[in-house]
Amino acid sequence: MKTRNLILALAAVSLLGAAGYGLYWVGMNRGMKMTESTPGAAPAGGGPQQTVATDKKILYWHDPMAPGQKFDKPGKSPFMDMQLVPVYADGNGDAGSVTISPRVQQNLGVRTAEVTTGTLAAAVEAVGTVAFNERDQAVVQARSNGFVEKLHVRAPLDPVRKHQPLAELYVPEWVAAQEEYLSVRRMTGTRLEALVDGARQRMRLVGMTEQQIRLVETTGKIHSRLTVSAPISGVVAELGAREGMAVMAGATLFRINGLDPVWVNAEVREAQASEVRPGNLVEARTSAVPGTTFKGRVNAILPEVNPATRTLKARVELANPNGKLVPGMFATVNFAPAARKEALLVPTEAVIRTGNRSVVIVAQGDGKFAPVDVEIGMESEGRTEIRKGLEAGQKIVVSGQFLIDSEASLRGTTTRMGDAPVPDGGMADAPTHSGEGRVERIGKDEVTLSHGPIPSLQWGPMTMGFRLPETGLPRNLAVGDTVKFEIRETGDGMFEITSISAITPAPAQPKTGEDNALMSGEKKEPKK
């Protein structure tokens, strides 16, 4: 009984093993078929990746870790221990673009906008300080030696009106000049006109004005005191007189500044200085006088940049009829934009600045995107002026640009937003490497060479493309020529030819008659 049960158990185990092997064989068979039907799939044995025939055209092979270098044949990468990967052409065969499916675009949050034309109004706003108008200023001085007997204005910054009395001075020199004039006037006789004119001229010399001289002539009395009046309306910016003090001729008694108009010294950013011109209309507002807008125009742009704030000072002249603006107030100045021509406009968020250039991602349709270098102008109200690189009506990406750039990097697209051309000075220090090879193809920007080993780079024989030198290839170089060349690495991982020349074959030696006879099989008898 026990033997029978043991035999049945062994039979069951054998059946289960056979069934499991059958299922395993079926699964492996299906897996191999699926692997073979997948383009670019590696064989199950783990050998090197083979290229499977597809309906897409292979543009070139590359190393995903160094996508800038292109090869025209499959093989092992000279940079990494891996096989080169084929890059297939999209619908238009553009290797500089990346194709993203609508589902992935939705996941990336890609939004587009259209390039439009219009006029960009530069909204320039600056903060400034109210100051005296230095062109509306008057200085009152003592014309003769005297004494201050009475002051009508006793403190600085007191407001004054035009022709308002400011002070009364006693001038002793005036008394002698007026007495002499009146004495000559009282004399009788002929030919006294010359004496009268001389006395009148002496009153002018001691500092009396024509109005004061006429007062003496009409009244016939001596006026020893001078009443000093304000020549303009404003405030007393400087007070140099006190009651009882002696003054000398030429001493400043009062300095009066007008308050209509006033100046506002506005600090304009250096980047916006080109938008501000003398004569531009402005509007100013201040928190000290809410609800009031003061109008004026730009008087001058001072030729000096503040090194700390990187601003220029714009001198604005504002009308101040009621004297509400006083020196020291802060004011916000809005400059009217100058007339501008129509230009291409894009949303500012669509422009990506990499430090060396400005890039915009263009939507080419059918899920294709490509970066385009642009030259930008001024910015205002969330829009940027495009001077070069785009056309009206093109679709550009305004959201998700960096995710598209990452997608392009994963797929090995050669054109990247951050890739900037390396200046010649940066490549001049790179070491050069020598090799020999055969010219396979000459393109517009590169030449393809089948070269031998290059020991300095630890490269084996391979076929790959190199950038052309700045001077171009020699004129006598053609496809099929054997060449010697030198290369150096550029900043983006590619290699550029620095020099290339054809290897001249050794000239054929002229054949003698004996050599010709031997080649033809004839025997030549020796001479007797």
Side-chain angles (χ1 to χ4, degrees), residues 232-312:
I232 60 173
S233 298
V235 295
V236 178
E238 180 183 347
L239 177 61
R242 288 291 184 265
E243 284 189 2
M245 67 178 294
V247 294
M248 303 292 292
T252 299
L253 303 178
F254 303 92
R255 184 167 59 84
I256 302 173
N257 270 104
L259 289 178
D260 185 21
V262 294
W263 283 352
V264 174
N265 296 318
E267 302 288 341
V268 181
R269 288 188 302 164
E270 186 177 3
Q272 295 179 322
S274 61
E275 304 300 326
V276 180
R277 292 285 185 273
N280 285 11
L281 298 178
V282 299
E283 293 182 352
R285 296 173 179 84
T286 177
S287 58
V289 190
T292 303
T293 301
F294 299 89
K295 298 183 180 297
R297 62 179 62 248
V298 179
N299 188 283
I301 305 295
L302 303 187
E304 181 182 9
V305 177
N306 188 326
T309 60
R310 305 308 304 173
T311 56
L312 283 86

Side-chain angles (χ1 to χ4, degrees), residues 147-481:
F147 303 92
V148 180
E149 288 194 342
K150 187 175 182 180
L151 279 178
H152 298 284
V153 177
R154 294 178 174 270
L157 299 182
D158 280 353
V160 294
R161 301 182 308 275
K162 188 175 182 178
H163 303 311
Q164 175 183 337
L166 300 177
E168 293 183 6
L169 305 180
Y170 174 74
V171 185
E173 293 182 0
W174 288 13
V175 176
Q178 293 178 51
E179 287 181 347
E180 180 180 349
Y181 175 78
L182 294 177
S183 299
V184 173
R185 286 281 304 272
R186 287 193 292 266
M187 293 175 60
T188 59
T190 59
R191 298 180 180 180
L192 296 175
E193 291 80 3
L195 295 177
V196 173
D197 291 339
R200 187 183 293 110
Q201 185 64 26
R202 184 180 177 188
M203 287 191 293
R204 292 192 184 98
L205 292 176
V206 295
M208 295 181 63
T209 63
E210 295 296 330
Q211 182 180 0
Q212 293 167 342
I213 293 174
R214 284 195 298 271
L215 182 62
V216 173
E217 291 177 346
T218 54
T219 59
K221 296 181 179 180
I222 296 174
H223 299 272
S224 59
R225 287 171 178 80
L226 166 66
T227 300
V228 180
S229 302
I232 60 173
S233 298
V235 295
V236 178
E238 180 183 347
L239 177 61
R242 288 291 184 265
E243 284 189 2
M245 67 178 294
V247 294
M248 303 292 292
T252 299
L253 303 178
F254 303 92
R255 184 167 59 84
I256 302 173
N257 270 104
L259 289 178
D260 185 21
V262 294
W263 283 352
V264 174
N265 296 318
E267 302 288 341
V268 181
R269 288 188 302 164
E270 186 177 3
Q272 295 179 322
S274 61
E275 304 300 326
V276 180
R277 292 285 185 273
N280 285 11
L281 298 178
V282 299
E283 293 182 352
R285 296 173 179 84
T286 177
S287 58
V289 190
T292 303
T293 301
F294 299 89
K295 298 183 180 297
R297 62 179 62 248
V298 179
N299 188 283
I301 305 295
L302 303 187
E304 181 182 9
V305 177
N306 188 326
T309 60
R310 305 308 304 173
T311 56
L312 283 86
K313 191 169 292 185
R315 181 179 292 164
V316 178
E317 191 172 284
L318 295 179
N320 187 29
N322 298 323
K324 295 181 178 180
L325 293 177
V326 296
M329 283 185 177
F330 283 110
T332 302
V333 181
N334 292 293
F335 297 86
R340 301 181 62 87
K341 297 181 180 179
E342 283 196 352
L344 297 178
L345 303 178
V346 299
T348 301
E349 58 184 335
V351 182
I352 302 173
R353 296 172 177 83
T354 66
N356 295 324
R357 57 179 185 159
S358 298
V359 179
V360 171
I361 300 296
V362 176
Q364 298 177 332
D366 298 330
K368 294 183 176 62
F369 300 90
V372 176
D373 290 350
V374 295
E375 180 182 337
I376 63 174
M378 63 173 296
E379 299 178 12
S380 179
E381 300 176 354
R383 296 185 297 172
T384 300
E385 179 183 356
I386 301 297
R387 296 176 179 173
K388 186 186 300 183
L390 296 178
E391 296 180 357
Q394 285 184 298
K395 294 288 186 179
I396 59 173
V397 179
V398 297
S399 177
Q401 301 98 314
F402 292 101
L403 297 177
I404 292 176
D405 184 50
S406 300
E407 188 75 11
S409 176
L410 293 175
R411 299 190 182 189
T413 301
T414 57
T415 305
R416 294 286 311 281
M417 292 187 297
D419 293 341
V422 179
D424 295 338
M427 297 191 309
D429 299 333
T432 58
H433 310 275
S434 303
E436 295 184 3
R438 182 177 182 272
V439 179
E440 299 291 344
R441 185 172 64 249
I442 298 176
K444 180 181 179 181
D445 299 322
E446 67 176 17
V447 57
T448 303
L449 302 177
S450 297
H451 61 80
I454 301 180
S456 59
L457 289 172
Q458 298 181 356
W459 285 3
M462 68 180 70
T463 301
M464 59 188 295
F466 300 95
R467 286 181 179 173
L468 297 178
E470 294 182 357
T471 57
L473 295 177
R475 294 184 179 180
N476 58 349
L477 202 65
V479 175
D481 289 351

Side-chain angles (χ1 to χ4, degrees), residues 119-149:
T119 302
L120 197 60
V124 180
E125 185 177 271
V127 177
T129 307
V130 180
F132 283 122
N133 183 356
E134 298 293 338
R135 295 192 177 97
D136 188 13
Q137 185 181 90
V139 176
V140 179
Q141 293 179 322
R143 296 193 173 188
S144 302
N145 299 336
F147 303 92
V148 180
E149 288 194 342

Side-chain angles (χ1 to χ4, degrees), residues 8-132:
L8 290 175
L10 291 173
V13 171
S14 300
L15 289 174
L16 289 174
Y21 177 77
L23 292 174
Y24 170 76
W25 184 84
V26 172
M28 288 294 295
N29 222 9
R30 291 185 178 180
M32 291 296 292
K33 290 180 180 179
M34 292 175 63
T35 303
E36 291 175 359
S37 63
T38 302
Q49 184 176 4
Q50 301 295 328
T51 303
V52 181
T54 63
D55 56 348
K56 293 184 178 181
K57 178 185 177 182
I58 296 178
L59 294 176
Y60 54 86
W61 279 262
H62 77 143
D63 185 344
M65 302 303 294
Q69 188 69 49
K70 298 182 289 185
F71 305 88
D72 66 341
K73 292 181 181 180
K76 191 174 181 180
S77 170
F79 308 105
M80 306 292 293
D81 188 15
M82 60 184 295
Q83 296 293 320
L84 298 176
V85 177
V87 176
Y88 298 96
D90 293 328
N92 58 355
D94 184 7
S97 62
V98 60
T99 302
I100 303 177
S101 65
R103 179 178 61 82
V104 177
Q105 293 183 39
Q106 185 176 4
N107 294 337
L108 297 179
V110 176
R111 294 187 295 108
T112 61
E114 186 175 342
V115 180
T116 59
T117 58
T119 302
L120 197 60
V124 180
E125 185 177 271
V127 177
T129 307
V130 180
F132 283 122

